[in-house]
Amino acid sequence: MFISRNQLVGLLSVVTTAACASPLYSQAPAPTFESSVLPVLRANCTTCHGAIKEGGLDLRTAASMLKGGSRGPAVVAGKPDTSLVLTRILDGSMPPGGKRPAKRDTDVLKAWIIAGAKDTAASGSSRHWAFVAPKRPKLPGVKAKGWAQNPVDAFILAKLEAARISPPPAANRRTLLRRLSLDLVGLPPTTKEQAEFEADKRPNAYQLKVDELLTRPQYGERWGRHWLDVVRYAETNGYERDGTKPSAWRYRDYVIKAFNADKPFDRFIHEQISGDELPGSNAETQIAGTFLRLGSWDDEPAEPMLDRYDQLDDVLGTTTAAFVAQTIRCARCHDHKLEPFSQKDYYQLLSVFDPLKRPQNDRTDLDRLVGTAAELKAYQAAYEQVARQVEPMRKSLETLLAPLAKKLAESGKSTLPKEALAAIQVPDDKRNPAQKALVKEHRSKLQSECATVASAVAAAEMTRLQAEIDRIDSSRPPEPPRAYIWHEPKAEPPKTAILQRGDPTRKGPEVSTAVPAVLETSSIGDPRPTESTTGRRLWLANWLTSAKNPLTARVM
């Protein structure tokens, strides 16, 4: 599915018009519950027969209608004349107040009952038009042969002519440029640009201007904003302390760069879901994986196990909404009432993300170094070598500092916090995290103040040791970039079970990794582990970008 911007425009034209012209529409299929019947019931009935359940009757689902209330079933499949919900509406007794639904609404309800009063969610039919691969439709015949400039125009013109509406005149060049500029880069054209475009008489002047605007960095900034909204981009965690997501800004820059570089959409998907599992994985593809971790995070959850599944639910829900526009999160606790997804479907898909672990140190959210395996290995080796060389000198320096810090504390003349002076007096291997942080934060000032109470020999030795430490530290290679990403600690997958009512303390049957049955258009095989991960996210990305999956292109 490698597609450029221009190809994408063409593809979306085909997808849009194919959906509208599909034979599934022209054959007038039976009304579906959620799209046709439920709106009628919501407008007229569910105020009393919804959450309130007056008379014990709930009209919000097909199943509850078949079950009925105190007077029996509200619907009898195939029998409109004995279905109370329809007969009470037709005889005027419902809804109360005398306002009767329009005839077209009662006809929809009657047609649905005659067709079997089926709940789409229960049927799980994959013949819904969105799950059927689109086919290029035949262009409609039109009278104004020269008006259409592309296939989409032909469908628009056919509808206009059928309604006896003349197409509007072409926009003048000044208006056209303004629309184009605002659309692509979010900025109006300058006066100079307007004058140049109006004076450009070349037959392909418009196409050249499109190409020129697409090369501007503002294109990625404008259109990247829309994607960042879709994936719930934020640079803080929410909740009380609203801590910063370290290095999350790199993902923002990745998205802008991806739009400006015309990155193929299938590659865009692969990198965000499985950037660390791709062949040739590098810093860029791993930064893209920030997509999975952008949700809110509670650094002190009351129920850590429940919070863990809340985080995974956020990842799953965002992924399915962004790429296939399916609201599968409702199936976390029970089979979906309105969509063709079971609770088993939910947990089979959740198992894709179950191996992910969140880098954190207690209540501190952490980022990770990213790069190729060779780059990270080389940096780690160099880092350890420098640490081995510096460690003896650091210990010698701290041996000198400890009694001087004590002397400072006793003098009462130090401007440093008492806790910092106390921390430096504790041996490094016995300091707690808070003490280590204090020493790190105040080391420079600490050494400066200690030098004022040191002997000339001690002060000189402190200066020598610090200079040697600085010299060795300067030989350290530059640190690789860091990214706000999850990680998989091992290739062995964990076991994922259905949680009864979504409760992590009530585990049910274990499930294997699979996409929901209604979405599986062909066999996609099983995930294959990589050298260091389960390979499940790469498996999911492969399915999302498969040519046999009609949803991803439609949703884009």
Side-chain angles (χ1 to χ4, degrees):
M1 201 174 66
F2 288 92
I3 48 178
S4 69
R5 276 186 290 254
N6 291 336
Q7 289 171 323
L8 179 59
V9 171
L11 173 61
L12 294 179
S13 299
V14 173
V15 169
T16 305
T17 52
C20 296
S22 168
L24 294 173
Y25 286 85
S26 58
Q27 292 172 4
T32 58
F33 178 77
E34 68 271 24
S35 62
S36 303
V37 176
L38 188 57
V40 175
L41 299 174
R42 281 176 175 163
N44 299 280
C45 310
T46 57
T47 300
C48 299
H49 300 292
I52 297 176
K53 297 182 183 177
E54 194 167 303
L57 178 59
D58 184 350
L59 297 180
R60 292 176 298 177
T61 69
S64 62
M65 293 174 72
L66 291 165
K67 179 181 178 182
S70 59
R71 298 193 179 187
V75 165
V76 180
K79 298 181 179 180
D81 294 340
T82 55
S83 294
L84 286 176
V85 70
L86 181 60
T87 58
R88 297 294 299 276
I89 289 174
L90 293 177
D91 68 16
S93 58
M94 287 291 168
K99 183 181 178 181
R100 298 182 61 181
K103 184 178 184 300
R104 63 176 178 275
D105 291 337
T106 56
D107 287 346
V108 164
L109 186 56
K110 182 176 181 179
W112 175 69
I113 295 171
I114 291 172
K118 294 179 180 179
D119 184 347
T120 304
S123 68
S125 171
S126 63
R127 299 309 299 171
H128 186 284
W129 67 264
F131 304 146
V132 177
K135 295 180 180 179
R136 185 179 294 276
K138 183 180 179 181
L139 296 184
V142 293
K143 297 175 182 177
K145 301 294 184 183
W147 186 83
Q149 297 184 34
N150 58 61
V152 177
D153 285 350
F155 288 90
I156 295 171
L157 181 58
K159 290 290 186 181
L160 290 173
E161 290 181 345
R164 297 183 179 180
I165 299 174
S166 299
N172 61 49
R173 292 176 76 81
R174 180 179 290 260
T175 302
L176 189 62
L177 178 61
R178 184 175 179 83
R179 291 175 182 172
L180 182 63
S181 186
L182 287 170
D183 186 34
L184 291 184
V185 298
L187 299 168
T190 64
T191 303
K192 180 182 178 182
E193 287 173 330
Q194 289 178 334
E196 289 175 347
F197 186 64
E198 287 183 287
D200 191 344
K201 303 304 181 183
R202 289 175 295 179
N204 62 340
Y206 176 78
Q207 287 76 12
L208 292 172
K209 193 61 183 178
V210 170
D211 291 340
E212 186 271 319
L213 287 169
L214 291 175
T215 65
R216 295 187 189 181
Q218 291 86 357
Y219 167 75
E221 292 167 3
R222 171 164 171 71
W223 286 95
R225 288 170 53 232
H226 297 299
W227 185 256
L228 295 175
D229 285 343
V230 167
V231 302
R232 84 294 193 213
Y233 176 76
E235 294 184 12
T236 58
N237 285 321
Y239 293 100
E240 300 95 325
R241 282 170 286 275
D242 200 23
T244 300
K245 297 181 187 291
S247 303
W249 59 270
R250 293 188 189 277
Y251 176 77
R252 174 203 65 203
D253 289 1
Y254 160 83
V255 169
I256 293 171
K257 182 180 176 182
F259 274 83
N260 280 331
D262 204 10
K263 189 184 289 285
F265 189 55
D266 58 343
R267 179 70 182 185
F268 191 54
I269 294 174
H270 269 95
E271 290 178 353
Q272 291 176 90
I273 295 177
S274 58
D276 58 323
E277 296 183 312
L278 291 171
S281 172
N282 56 29
E284 181 182 11
T285 67
Q286 290 160 34
I287 288 169
T290 304
F291 158 78
L292 297 171
R293 198 177 164 193
L294 287 171
S296 57
W297 178 62
D298 187 354
D299 61 8
E300 197 175 32
E303 298 181 61
M305 190 181 298
L306 179 61
D307 179 68
R308 158 73 178 172
Y309 281 96
D310 285 346
Q311 292 180 47
L312 293 180
D313 178 69
D314 168 77
V315 175
L316 172 58
T318 303
T319 301
T320 53
F323 297 116
V324 292
Q326 299 300 309
T327 55
I328 197 170
R329 295 175 74 171
C330 294
R332 177 179 178 179
C333 301
H334 50 73
D335 290 351
H336 204 303
K337 289 186 175 182
L338 301 177
E339 303 289 352
F341 303 122
S342 67
Q343 195 180 17
K344 180 181 179 182
D345 286 332
Y346 174 92
Y347 285 97
Q348 285 179 326
L349 203 51
L350 189 78
S351 71
V352 170
F353 306 107
D354 206 1
L356 294 172
K357 301 298 179 185
R358 187 183 199 96
Q360 63 186 91
N361 180 12
D362 192 26
R363 283 165 45 179
T364 302
D365 216 9
L366 303 176
D367 51 12
R368 285 173 60 85
L369 293 173
V370 290
T372 66
E375 289 169 345
L376 295 178
K377 185 177 180 180
Y379 174 77
Q380 187 64 28
Y383 182 91
E384 291 173 357
Q385 181 181 4
V386 168
R388 285 193 298 269
Q389 291 177 289
V390 166
E391 186 62 21
M393 286 175 272
R394 286 200 190 282
K395 287 184 177 179
S396 297
L397 183 57
E398 292 203 355
T399 300
L400 289 170
L401 288 172
L404 296 173
K406 183 178 180 181
K407 189 175 180 179
L408 270 175
E410 291 172 351
S411 72
K413 296 180 180 180
S414 176
T415 60
L416 290 162
K418 293 180 180 180
E419 296 84 359
L421 290 171
I424 194 65
Q425 298 176 55
V426 179
D428 183 61
D429 58 350
K430 294 183 179 180
R431 291 175 193 151
N432 60 37
Q435 290 171 328
K436 290 180 179 179
L438 281 168
V439 171
K440 182 178 180 181
E441 180 183 357
H442 299 287
R443 179 179 292 280
S444 179
K445 192 171 184 180
L446 180 66
Q447 289 181 202
S448 177
E449 287 195 3
C450 283
T452 65
V453 295
S455 66
V457 173
E461 180 63 5
M462 287 167 55
T463 301
R464 186 192 70 80
L465 287 170
Q466 187 59 54
E468 186 62 11
I469 289 172
D470 291 343
R471 184 189 68 79
I472 297 173
D473 268 342
S474 66
S475 68
R476 192 195 311 269
E479 184 180 78
R482 307 186 74 89
Y484 188 68
I485 55 177
W486 298 84
H487 75 106
E488 291 192 21
K490 56 185 178 180
E492 182 182 353
K495 294 180 180 179
T496 302
I498 295 174
L499 304 183
Q500 304 299 328
R501 299 296 302 170
D503 184 348
T505 66
R506 299 174 57 198
K507 292 192 174 181
E510 292 182 2
V511 295
S512 58
T513 301
V515 299
V518 72
L519 301 180
E520 188 167 357
T521 53
S522 62
S523 176
I524 56 175
D526 297 319
R528 295 182 180 181
T530 69
E531 185 176 341
S532 57
T533 71
T534 62
R536 289 180 174 181
R537 286 173 290 113
L538 181 58
W539 169 88
L540 177 64
N542 287 339
W543 171 74
L544 286 171
T545 57
S546 168
K548 295 180 180 179
N549 177 0
L551 276 174
T552 305
R554 278 198 171 107
V555 173
M556 175 58 180

